[in-house]
Amino acid sequence: MRETPLSNCERQFLVQAIAEKKRLDGRQTYDYRNIKITFGTDYGCCIVDLGKTRVLAQISCELVAPKMNRPTEGILFFNLELSQMASPAFEPGRQSELVVKLNRLLERCLRNSKCIDTESLCVVSGEKVWQIRVDLHLLNHDGNIMDAASIAAITALCHFRRPDVSIQGEDVTVYTPEERDPVPLSIHHMPICVSFSFFQQGTYLLVDPSEREERVMDGLLVIAMNKHREICTIQSSGGIMLLKDQVLRCSKIASVKVTEISELIQKALENDKKVRKEGGKFGFAESMPNQRITAYKMEVAPVDTGDIGKKAEDLISNTEPPSEIIPSPVVRAPGTGQIGEGLQNSWGLDENEDGEEAEDQTMEEELQTMDVKVKSVNKEDPIVLSDSEEEDVVVLEPKIMKKEVKVQASSTAASKKKKKKKPAH
Amino acid sequence: MMEVTQSGSAQHAAVLREFGCEHSLLSRPDGSASFVQGDTTVLAGVYGPAEVMVSKESFDRATLEVTLKPKVGMPGVAERSKEQCIRQTCEAALLTRLHPRTSITLSLQTVHDDGALLACCLNAACMALMDAGLPMHCLFCGVCCAIDQQGTIKLDPTAKEEKESRAVMTFALDSTDCRVMMSSTKGSYTAAELQQCIAVCQRASESIFQFYRDSVSRRYCKA
């Protein structure tokens, strides 16, 4: 569905408030919203909340053949999806510009900066390398998707453990998590994106814009930096003209913010490691806030199954069995069977079309002699089918049998040929 | 051959895992809920009744669209079939005729799958629809049970138990009469086992509906 358009008075209100150094949620110009990081049960899964913007990240790995021009390097694959629940404007299927822009920026930030050591992901040079897949899902859009996504991605990558591999000469063994503890990825540094939004042709600047502020901004500057004050990626969009000292000032602010965020990520990772080592409960279920009235938990609940046996028995004995429409098969000759009595052949010819023969046991009758004994067949007997499709049956003198059953010879109709079981006589 | 196990002979492990739910946890959707069953977590978001594309519009009722996204990879056939099961259950429960020519969009995200995923999706969907305030003529809940190789019925199985079982069944039951609204089964079982599983799930649904009531009354009641 279409995004609700922003009214002019709302736009003017926001711009005027920013001009007076006021933000809707009461933050200062350089303040970030609250960042909350929670980890899931398996390694490499985390949810990051940047204010109300929520991103879910999951890392997975797979052994694949390496790229032709890089036989000794592992592969990193990034995929950021804007879930339909994040905003009413996000439609499934259609790749909007925003998704492409965010994915590209994420790739530049994490892949081009070489923060992950891809050489260490090589198992057998030229044949098998690890492909690390980073899946990010935006769950709620309240502005500044890029920062939240980059924090989620790098935190999940630091949290992830890949299966251990040992190489002895030619043999490569990949151990399951039960056999040997999985090993973490080799990460050189943690690049984190910081977004700056500009208003009134670059006069006013805000860090970490919320969704409303993003709607009225003129341009966006994203700087990806690590805590060693190295800029990994810088991107300016929106067509605003920035002065050199503005960009330098932003990079200084970014370095301060990145240090704070990196500390937060480290603390969260250590907390999770501690909880896992001590054997405590971890995962999203545990991180659900108990004290909120919107959250509720129920303990393990046993269910009384005392009389279900009797109840089920009653139900089944009370229901009528389905009406008997399939009579037991009749055998005319050894190795054949027939279900149902065929209709009178009104054409006077020997071949007739197949009706609905849904049963697999329905077979054609082969008329060999007129003295065919009618034998009742046990349902358990396996029926041998001849796969040969070359025999031709020519019925010379069809005789009426005792049971008034007409001979049915199969025709080589198209429907028959599809079912390999039915031989054409 | 039909073998009916008497209540004394077969010990059915009928225990529901720990449940948890949170409503209105996302700010953008009209209704949202997160449902946790043991370790299986599903997040649901609902938008509606809202504008609908003319190609999908229905003159006398609201058009319901369900999307289920897995955590890793592109959605495949398994997700599509679950979406259809959930959509048919929701359509049966929602009063779609009250909002003609509108769309109701239900998005589900698998946050962690440890068994009983379809049942958890149904529960999250019902809580999200409730949170959005959409009119329904009954609530529904999803219950999953598995029959292992020995014939015991395990309620709310984990992923490991599902893999080792002979049959896995998921039922959607309504709140007024605990009747079956939707069933999705995998594996082989006898008619008697099916009826027993339905009976077990109906018992379990009573505790699930009580959980719904408790979680909503915690939010809205003063005490």
Side-chain angles (χ1 to χ4, degrees), chain A residues 114-372:
Chain A
K114 307 233 185 291
C115 60
I116 313 268
D117 181 12
T118 44
E119 300 274 348
S120 68
L121 296 174
C122 178
V123 175
V124 178
S125 170
E127 284 174 31
K128 285 279 180 218
V129 298
W130 285 112
Q131 175 180 305
I132 305 291
R133 191 195 160 103
V134 182
D135 280 284
L136 294 153
H137 301 272
L138 179 70
L139 302 174
N140 196 42
H141 177 28
D142 199 32
N144 206 1
I145 304 172
M146 200 55 235
D147 290 14
S150 75
I151 297 173
I154 198 65
T155 312
L157 282 164
C158 292
H159 190 248
F160 180 63
R161 304 271 181 275
R162 65 164 171 83
D164 195 7
V165 173
S166 76
I167 307 176
Q168 272 128 5
E170 286 296 320
D171 297 326
V172 177
T173 331
V174 180
Y175 296 104
T176 60
E178 288 85 35
E179 291 168 12
R180 265 210 212 171
D181 279 341
V183 297
L185 297 174
S186 154
I187 296 176
H188 296 309
H189 58 95
M190 303 205 312
I192 292 169
C193 293
V194 177
S195 301
F196 300 88
S197 54
F198 290 94
F199 304 84
Q200 310 273 53
Q201 284 84 44
T203 326
Y204 302 107
L205 150 77
L206 286 182
V207 175
D208 186 19
S210 69
E211 199 258 338
R212 290 284 111 154
E213 289 161 357
E214 270 188 358
R215 293 257 232 151
V216 299
M217 71 183 173
D218 286 339
L220 185 73
L221 174 71
V222 179
I223 301 180
M225 209 188 250
N226 60 24
K227 65 176 185 215
H228 310 295
R229 311 190 77 224
E230 296 167 333
I231 294 183
C232 306
T233 301
I234 192 163
Q235 170 165 309
S236 163
S237 57
I240 37 152
M241 261 87 73
L242 293 173
L243 300 168
K244 186 177 74 176
D245 56 326
Q246 274 178 314
V247 178
L248 281 175
R249 192 157 49 100
C250 288
S251 63
K252 286 199 180 76
I253 302 168
S255 71
V256 170
K257 295 296 163 195
V258 163
T259 326
E260 285 170 15
I261 298 175
S262 300
E263 271 175 29
L264 188 73
I265 296 177
Q266 283 298 103
K267 219 166 17 149
L269 285 166
E270 274 163 24
N271 272 350
D272 181 74
K273 201 157 132 186
K274 203 164 59 149
V275 168
R276 277 174 205 257
K277 211 195 302 197
E278 287 165 7
K281 289 204 249 181
F282 48 85
F284 294 126
E286 282 318 300
S287 60
M288 201 179 276
N290 273 12
Q291 60 278 19
R292 289 209 196 141
I293 55 170
T294 52
Y296 186 65
K297 271 196 198 171
M298 177 175 90
E299 295 305 319
V300 170
V303 169
D304 172 32
T305 58
D307 58 346
I308 52 153
K310 181 157 185 319
K311 190 169 169 216
E313 198 186 333
D314 284 342
L315 255 165
I316 291 176
S317 55
N318 285 346
T319 49
E320 296 163 1
S323 54
E324 195 62 49
I325 43 171
I326 306 165
S328 33
V330 158
V331 165
R332 302 234 161 260
T336 63
Q338 179 182 320
I339 293 174
E341 304 184 350
L343 294 171
Q344 277 275 11
N345 188 344
S346 57
W347 285 53
L349 300 169
D350 289 333
E351 68 266 358
N352 50 354
E353 295 78 17
D354 289 341
E356 42 272 291
E357 289 172 279
E359 276 82 70
D360 284 351
Q361 294 182 341
T362 310
M363 315 243 326
E364 306 79 5
E365 197 182 348
E366 191 181 279
L367 195 59
Q368 292 165 339
T369 64
M370 294 298 114
D371 305 349
V372 166

Side-chain angles (χ1 to χ4, degrees), chain A residues 1-3 41-42 45 47 52 54 56 58 60 79 81-88 91-92 133 135 137 139-142 211 281-282 284-286 288-309 311-313 315-316, chain B residues 2 4-7 12 14-23 25-29 34 36 38-39 41 43 45 47 50-51 65 67 69-74 103 105 107-112 155 191-192 195-196 199-200 202-204 207 211 214-215 218-219:
Chain A
M1 56 204 92
R2 265 183 306 155
E3 179 83 82
T41 329
D42 44 349
C45 180
I47 290 188
K52 294 196 195 133
R54 190 179 281 228
L56 164 70
Q58 174 70 58
S60 49
N79 182 32
E81 271 180 18
L82 303 181
S83 166
Q84 217 183 351
M85 69 173 88
S87 165
E91 304 259 332
R133 191 195 160 103
D135 280 284
H137 301 272
L139 302 174
N140 196 42
H141 177 28
D142 199 32
E211 199 258 338
K281 289 204 249 181
F282 48 85
F284 294 126
E286 282 318 300
M288 201 179 276
N290 273 12
Q291 60 278 19
R292 289 209 196 141
I293 55 170
T294 52
Y296 186 65
K297 271 196 198 171
M298 177 175 90
E299 295 305 319
V300 170
V303 169
D304 172 32
T305 58
D307 58 346
I308 52 153
K311 190 169 169 216
E313 198 186 333
L315 255 165
I316 291 176
Chain B
M2 294 208 305
V4 178
T5 51
Q6 292 301 317
S7 52
H12 298 303
V15 171
L16 289 169
R17 292 182 280 181
E18 233 184 26
F19 274 20
C21 96
E22 195 180 347
H23 335 125
L25 63 163
L26 303 176
S27 69
R28 293 304 291 278
S34 153
V36 181
D39 267 334
T41 314
L43 182 58
Y47 284 104
E51 201 184 337
E65 286 167 21
T67 334
K69 287 254 174 80
K71 204 162 43 159
V72 178
M74 294 284 119
S103 80
T105 314
S107 319
L108 295 150
Q109 171 72 50
T110 312
V111 176
H112 192 254
L155 200 54
Q195 291 303 332
Q196 283 173 8
V200 170
Q202 282 172 332
R203 294 289 160 73
S207 7
F211 176 72
D214 292 340
S215 69
R218 177 182 159 95
R219 188 175 178 192

